[in-house]
mmCIF file of all heavy atoms in Angstrom:
data_model
loop_
_atom_site.group_PDB
_atom_site.id
_atom_site.type_symbol
_atom_site.label_atom_id
_atom_site.label_comp_id
_atom_site.label_asym_id
_atom_site.label_seq_id
_atom_site.Cartn_x
_atom_site.Cartn_y
_atom_site.Cartn_z
ATOM 1 N N ARG E 1747 -14.677 6.121 -1.412
ATOM 2 C CA ARG E 1747 -13.633 5.151 -1.779
ATOM 3 C C ARG E 1747 -12.499 5.128 -0.745
ATOM 4 O O ARG E 1747 -12.034 4.068 -0.347
ATOM 5 C CB ARG E 1747 -13.086 5.470 -3.190
ATOM 6 C CG ARG E 1747 -11.849 4.661 -3.566
ATOM 7 C CD ARG E 1747 -12.126 3.161 -3.547
ATOM 8 N NE ARG E 1747 -10.922 2.353 -3.682
ATOM 9 C CZ ARG E 1747 -10.170 1.929 -2.680
ATOM 10 N NH1 ARG E 1747 -10.491 2.244 -1.415
ATOM 11 N NH2 ARG E 1747 -9.117 1.182 -2.891
ATOM 12 N N ASP E 1748 -12.065 6.321 -0.316
ATOM 13 C CA ASP E 1748 -10.932 6.387 0.624
ATOM 14 C C ASP E 1748 -11.248 5.689 1.950
ATOM 15 O O ASP E 1748 -10.341 5.219 2.637
ATOM 16 C CB ASP E 1748 -10.581 7.852 0.931
ATOM 17 C CG ASP E 1748 -9.818 8.514 -0.204
ATOM 18 O OD1 ASP E 1748 -9.407 7.816 -1.143
ATOM 19 O OD2 ASP E 1748 -9.638 9.751 -0.155
ATOM 20 N N GLU E 1749 -12.528 5.661 2.320
ATOM 21 C CA GLU E 1749 -12.911 5.128 3.633
ATOM 22 C C GLU E 1749 -13.398 3.687 3.557
ATOM 23 O O GLU E 1749 -13.972 3.172 4.507
ATOM 24 C CB GLU E 1749 -14.031 6.006 4.235
ATOM 25 C CG GLU E 1749 -13.627 7.439 4.507
ATOM 26 C CD GLU E 1749 -12.587 7.565 5.617
ATOM 27 O OE1 GLU E 1749 -12.582 6.716 6.523
ATOM 28 O OE2 GLU E 1749 -11.778 8.510 5.552
ATOM 29 N N LEU E 1750 -13.187 3.047 2.438
ATOM 30 C CA LEU E 1750 -13.810 1.745 2.198
ATOM 31 C C LEU E 1750 -13.128 0.568 2.896
ATOM 32 O O LEU E 1750 -13.693 -0.517 2.990
ATOM 33 C CB LEU E 1750 -13.814 1.490 0.680
ATOM 34 C CG LEU E 1750 -14.923 0.639 0.092
ATOM 35 C CD1 LEU E 1750 -16.294 1.183 0.446
ATOM 36 C CD2 LEU E 1750 -14.755 0.560 -1.425
ATOM 37 N N SER E 1751 -11.912 0.775 3.381
ATOM 38 C CA SER E 1751 -11.214 -0.351 4.011
ATOM 39 C C SER E 1751 -11.963 -0.811 5.265
ATOM 40 O O SER E 1751 -12.399 0.015 6.059
ATOM 41 C CB SER E 1751 -9.795 0.071 4.390
ATOM 42 O OG SER E 1751 -9.213 -0.954 5.156
ATOM 43 N N PRO E 1752 -12.078 -2.132 5.455
ATOM 44 C CA PRO E 1752 -12.746 -2.633 6.663
ATOM 45 C C PRO E 1752 -12.133 -2.088 7.955
ATOM 46 O O PRO E 1752 -12.803 -2.022 8.975
ATOM 47 C CB PRO E 1752 -12.552 -4.148 6.588
ATOM 48 C CG PRO E 1752 -12.286 -4.443 5.175
ATOM 49 C CD PRO E 1752 -11.641 -3.230 4.574
ATOM 50 N N MET E 1753 -10.852 -1.672 7.884
ATOM 51 C CA MET E 1753 -10.247 -1.180 9.141
ATOM 52 C C MET E 1753 -10.942 0.097 9.625
ATOM 53 O O MET E 1753 -10.848 0.453 10.784
ATOM 54 C CB MET E 1753 -8.739 -0.972 8.984
ATOM 55 C CG MET E 1753 -8.339 0.227 8.200
ATOM 56 S SD MET E 1753 -6.543 0.383 8.163
ATOM 57 C CE MET E 1753 -6.355 1.351 6.679
ATOM 58 N N PHE E 1754 -11.630 0.794 8.729
ATOM 59 C CA PHE E 1754 -12.375 1.984 9.139
ATOM 60 C C PHE E 1754 -13.831 1.662 9.483
ATOM 61 O O PHE E 1754 -14.541 2.510 10.001
ATOM 62 C CB PHE E 1754 -12.377 3.033 8.019
ATOM 63 C CG PHE E 1754 -11.002 3.462 7.571
ATOM 64 C CD1 PHE E 1754 -10.670 3.451 6.228
ATOM 65 C CD2 PHE E 1754 -10.043 3.870 8.495
ATOM 66 C CE1 PHE E 1754 -9.410 3.838 5.796
ATOM 67 C CE2 PHE E 1754 -8.781 4.262 8.082
ATOM 68 C CZ PHE E 1754 -8.464 4.246 6.730
ATOM 69 N N LEU E 1755 -14.274 0.465 9.136
ATOM 70 C CA LEU E 1755 -15.719 0.211 9.182
ATOM 71 C C LEU E 1755 -16.169 -0.813 10.219
ATOM 72 O O LEU E 1755 -17.291 -0.743 10.697
ATOM 73 C CB LEU E 1755 -16.203 -0.242 7.799
ATOM 74 C CG LEU E 1755 -15.947 0.745 6.648
ATOM 75 C CD1 LEU E 1755 -16.479 0.195 5.340
ATOM 76 C CD2 LEU E 1755 -16.572 2.100 6.948
ATOM 77 N N TRP E 1756 -15.315 -1.786 10.524
ATOM 78 C CA TRP E 1756 -15.704 -2.812 11.491
ATOM 79 C C TRP E 1756 -14.574 -3.007 12.488
ATOM 80 O O TRP E 1756 -13.438 -3.316 12.099
ATOM 81 C CB TRP E 1756 -15.980 -4.153 10.798
ATOM 82 C CG TRP E 1756 -17.235 -4.146 9.992
ATOM 83 C CD1 TRP E 1756 -18.517 -4.313 10.466
ATOM 84 C CD2 TRP E 1756 -17.344 -3.977 8.569
ATOM 85 N NE1 TRP E 1756 -19.406 -4.244 9.420
ATOM 86 C CE2 TRP E 1756 -18.722 -4.043 8.237
ATOM 87 C CE3 TRP E 1756 -16.432 -3.770 7.542
ATOM 88 C CZ2 TRP E 1756 -19.198 -3.913 6.951
ATOM 89 C CZ3 TRP E 1756 -16.896 -3.646 6.247
ATOM 90 C CH2 TRP E 1756 -18.263 -3.714 5.960
ATOM 91 N N GLU E 1757 -14.917 -2.849 13.753
ATOM 92 C CA GLU E 1757 -13.909 -3.006 14.809
ATOM 93 C C GLU E 1757 -13.271 -4.397 14.778
ATOM 94 O O GLU E 1757 -12.104 -4.563 15.120
ATOM 95 C CB GLU E 1757 -14.624 -2.832 16.146
ATOM 96 C CG GLU E 1757 -13.864 -2.024 17.159
ATOM 97 C CD GLU E 1757 -14.682 -1.959 18.420
ATOM 98 O OE1 GLU E 1757 -15.632 -1.140 18.468
ATOM 99 O OE2 GLU E 1757 -14.403 -2.762 19.321
ATOM 100 N N GLN E 1758 -14.061 -5.390 14.360
ATOM 101 C CA GLN E 1758 -13.573 -6.778 14.380
ATOM 102 C C GLN E 1758 -12.602 -7.069 13.224
ATOM 103 O O GLN E 1758 -12.121 -8.190 13.076
ATOM 104 C CB GLN E 1758 -14.757 -7.760 14.276
ATOM 105 C CG GLN E 1758 -15.762 -7.673 15.408
ATOM 106 C CD GLN E 1758 -16.786 -6.547 15.219
ATOM 107 O OE1 GLN E 1758 -16.758 -5.813 14.234
ATOM 108 N NE2 GLN E 1758 -17.683 -6.403 16.185
ATOM 109 N N HIS E 1759 -12.303 -6.058 12.396
ATOM 110 C CA HIS E 1759 -11.486 -6.294 11.197
ATOM 111 C C HIS E 1759 -10.152 -6.959 11.525
ATOM 112 O O HIS E 1759 -9.621 -7.745 10.760
ATOM 113 C CB HIS E 1759 -11.222 -4.971 10.462
ATOM 114 C CG HIS E 1759 -10.213 -4.103 11.147
ATOM 115 N ND1 HIS E 1759 -8.873 -4.193 10.878
ATOM 116 C CD2 HIS E 1759 -10.340 -3.194 12.136
ATOM 117 C CE1 HIS E 1759 -8.219 -3.350 11.657
ATOM 118 N NE2 HIS E 1759 -9.076 -2.723 12.423
ATOM 119 N N LYS E 1760 -9.599 -6.644 12.715
ATOM 120 C CA LYS E 1760 -8.235 -7.122 12.985
ATOM 121 C C LYS E 1760 -8.184 -8.635 13.223
ATOM 122 O O LYS E 1760 -7.135 -9.236 13.181
ATOM 123 C CB LYS E 1760 -7.598 -6.345 14.131
ATOM 124 C CG LYS E 1760 -8.253 -6.499 15.457
ATOM 125 C CD LYS E 1760 -7.529 -5.676 16.506
ATOM 126 C CE LYS E 1760 -8.179 -4.317 16.638
ATOM 127 N NZ LYS E 1760 -7.862 -3.574 17.805
ATOM 128 N N HIS E 1761 -9.356 -9.239 13.447
ATOM 129 C CA HIS E 1761 -9.397 -10.703 13.568
ATOM 130 C C HIS E 1761 -9.543 -11.371 12.205
ATOM 131 O O HIS E 1761 -9.414 -12.578 12.086
ATOM 132 C CB HIS E 1761 -10.573 -11.127 14.453
ATOM 133 C CG HIS E 1761 -10.539 -10.491 15.807
ATOM 134 N ND1 HIS E 1761 -9.559 -10.768 16.722
ATOM 135 C CD2 HIS E 1761 -11.342 -9.557 16.376
ATOM 136 C CE1 HIS E 1761 -9.767 -10.041 17.808
ATOM 137 N NE2 HIS E 1761 -10.832 -9.295 17.622
ATOM 138 N N GLY E 1762 -9.848 -10.583 11.203
ATOM 139 C CA GLY E 1762 -10.157 -11.139 9.889
ATOM 140 C C GLY E 1762 -8.926 -11.548 9.110
ATOM 141 O O GLY E 1762 -7.784 -11.392 9.556
ATOM 142 N N VAL E 1763 -9.174 -12.094 7.930
ATOM 143 C CA VAL E 1763 -8.086 -12.378 6.993
ATOM 144 C C VAL E 1763 -8.067 -11.225 6.003
ATOM 145 O O VAL E 1763 -9.064 -10.942 5.343
ATOM 146 C CB VAL E 1763 -8.329 -13.714 6.265
ATOM 147 C CG1 VAL E 1763 -7.299 -13.911 5.151
ATOM 148 C CG2 VAL E 1763 -8.269 -14.870 7.249
ATOM 149 N N LYS E 1764 -6.921 -10.562 5.932
ATOM 150 C CA LYS E 1764 -6.771 -9.407 5.049
ATOM 151 C C LYS E 1764 -5.913 -9.815 3.865
ATOM 152 O O LYS E 1764 -4.852 -10.387 4.048
ATOM 153 C CB LYS E 1764 -6.085 -8.272 5.805
ATOM 154 C CG LYS E 1764 -5.486 -7.224 4.913
ATOM 155 C CD LYS E 1764 -4.427 -6.426 5.657
ATOM 156 C CE LYS E 1764 -3.587 -5.598 4.749
ATOM 157 N NZ LYS E 1764 -2.757 -6.342 3.797
ATOM 158 N N LEU E 1765 -6.367 -9.504 2.686
ATOM 159 C CA LEU E 1765 -5.590 -9.850 1.495
ATOM 160 C C LEU E 1765 -5.303 -8.622 0.657
ATOM 161 O O LEU E 1765 -6.133 -7.712 0.566
ATOM 162 C CB LEU E 1765 -6.355 -10.871 0.640
ATOM 163 C CG LEU E 1765 -6.574 -12.238 1.276
ATOM 164 C CD1 LEU E 1765 -7.562 -13.033 0.463
ATOM 165 C CD2 LEU E 1765 -5.267 -13.000 1.384
ATOM 166 N N ASP E 1766 -4.118 -8.648 0.071
ATOM 167 C CA ASP E 1766 -3.695 -7.588 -0.854
ATOM 168 C C ASP E 1766 -3.166 -8.311 -2.093
ATOM 169 O O ASP E 1766 -2.012 -8.215 -2.438
ATOM 170 C CB ASP E 1766 -2.607 -6.742 -0.166
ATOM 171 C CG ASP E 1766 -1.902 -5.810 -1.125
ATOM 172 O OD1 ASP E 1766 -2.562 -5.277 -2.022
ATOM 173 O OD2 ASP E 1766 -0.671 -5.623 -0.972
ATOM 174 N N THR E 1767 -4.068 -9.069 -2.696
ATOM 175 C CA THR E 1767 -3.649 -9.959 -3.778
ATOM 176 C C THR E 1767 -3.675 -9.255 -5.127
ATOM 177 O O THR E 1767 -4.539 -8.426 -5.370
ATOM 178 C CB THR E 1767 -4.650 -11.136 -3.869
ATOM 179 O OG1 THR E 1767 -4.791 -11.694 -2.576
ATOM 180 C CG2 THR E 1767 -4.171 -12.193 -4.833
ATOM 181 N N ALA E 1768 -2.733 -9.604 -5.981
ATOM 182 C CA ALA E 1768 -2.899 -9.291 -7.403
ATOM 183 C C ALA E 1768 -2.872 -10.608 -8.152
ATOM 184 O O ALA E 1768 -2.079 -11.501 -7.839
ATOM 185 C CB ALA E 1768 -1.791 -8.377 -7.906
ATOM 186 N N VAL E 1769 -3.765 -10.739 -9.093
ATOM 187 C CA VAL E 1769 -3.782 -11.907 -9.976
ATOM 188 C C VAL E 1769 -3.694 -11.380 -11.407
ATOM 189 O O VAL E 1769 -3.935 -10.192 -11.641
ATOM 190 C CB VAL E 1769 -5.082 -12.741 -9.793
ATOM 191 C CG1 VAL E 1769 -5.084 -13.439 -8.443
ATOM 192 C CG2 VAL E 1769 -6.332 -11.894 -9.971
ATOM 193 N N PRO E 1770 -3.336 -12.258 -12.362
ATOM 194 C CA PRO E 1770 -3.403 -11.789 -13.753
ATOM 195 C C PRO E 1770 -4.775 -11.158 -13.967
ATOM 196 O O PRO E 1770 -5.803 -11.712 -13.551
ATOM 197 C CB PRO E 1770 -3.219 -13.084 -14.552
ATOM 198 C CG PRO E 1770 -2.414 -13.960 -13.641
ATOM 199 C CD PRO E 1770 -2.902 -13.661 -12.253
ATOM 200 N N ILE E 1771 -4.766 -10.009 -14.592
ATOM 201 C CA ILE E 1771 -5.923 -9.120 -14.537
ATOM 202 C C ILE E 1771 -7.220 -9.766 -15.030
ATOM 203 O O ILE E 1771 -8.299 -9.514 -14.482
ATOM 204 C CB ILE E 1771 -5.567 -7.807 -15.281
ATOM 205 C CG1 ILE E 1771 -6.619 -6.758 -15.083
ATOM 206 C CG2 ILE E 1771 -5.243 -8.020 -16.706
ATOM 207 C CD1 ILE E 1771 -6.105 -5.384 -15.484
ATOM 208 N N ASP E 1772 -7.113 -10.673 -16.003
ATOM 209 C CA ASP E 1772 -8.332 -11.299 -16.525
ATOM 210 C C ASP E 1772 -8.955 -12.270 -15.518
ATOM 211 O O ASP E 1772 -10.093 -12.695 -15.690
ATOM 212 C CB ASP E 1772 -8.014 -12.036 -17.843
ATOM 213 C CG ASP E 1772 -6.909 -13.060 -17.679
ATOM 214 O OD1 ASP E 1772 -5.876 -12.735 -17.039
ATOM 215 O OD2 ASP E 1772 -7.070 -14.195 -18.161
ATOM 216 N N LEU E 1773 -8.221 -12.607 -14.452
ATOM 217 C CA LEU E 1773 -8.742 -13.566 -13.467
ATOM 218 C C LEU E 1773 -9.323 -12.874 -12.228
ATOM 219 O O LEU E 1773 -9.697 -13.537 -11.262
ATOM 220 C CB LEU E 1773 -7.618 -14.524 -13.032
ATOM 221 C CG LEU E 1773 -6.976 -15.345 -14.154
ATOM 222 C CD1 LEU E 1773 -5.868 -16.238 -13.601
ATOM 223 C CD2 LEU E 1773 -8.030 -16.196 -14.860
#
Side-chain angles (χ1 to χ4, degrees):
R1747 171 60 190 90
D1748 283 351
E1749 297 293 330
L1750 210 55
S1751 172
M1753 75 177 156
F1754 303 129
L1755 301 181
W1756 289 279
E1757 221 181 281
Q1758 299 82 0
H1759 75 90
K1760 64 180 94 163
H1761 304 294
V1763 172
K1764 161 200 167 295
L1765 295 169
D1766 168 37
T1767 309
V1769 290
I1771 189 165
D1772 56 315
L1773 301 179

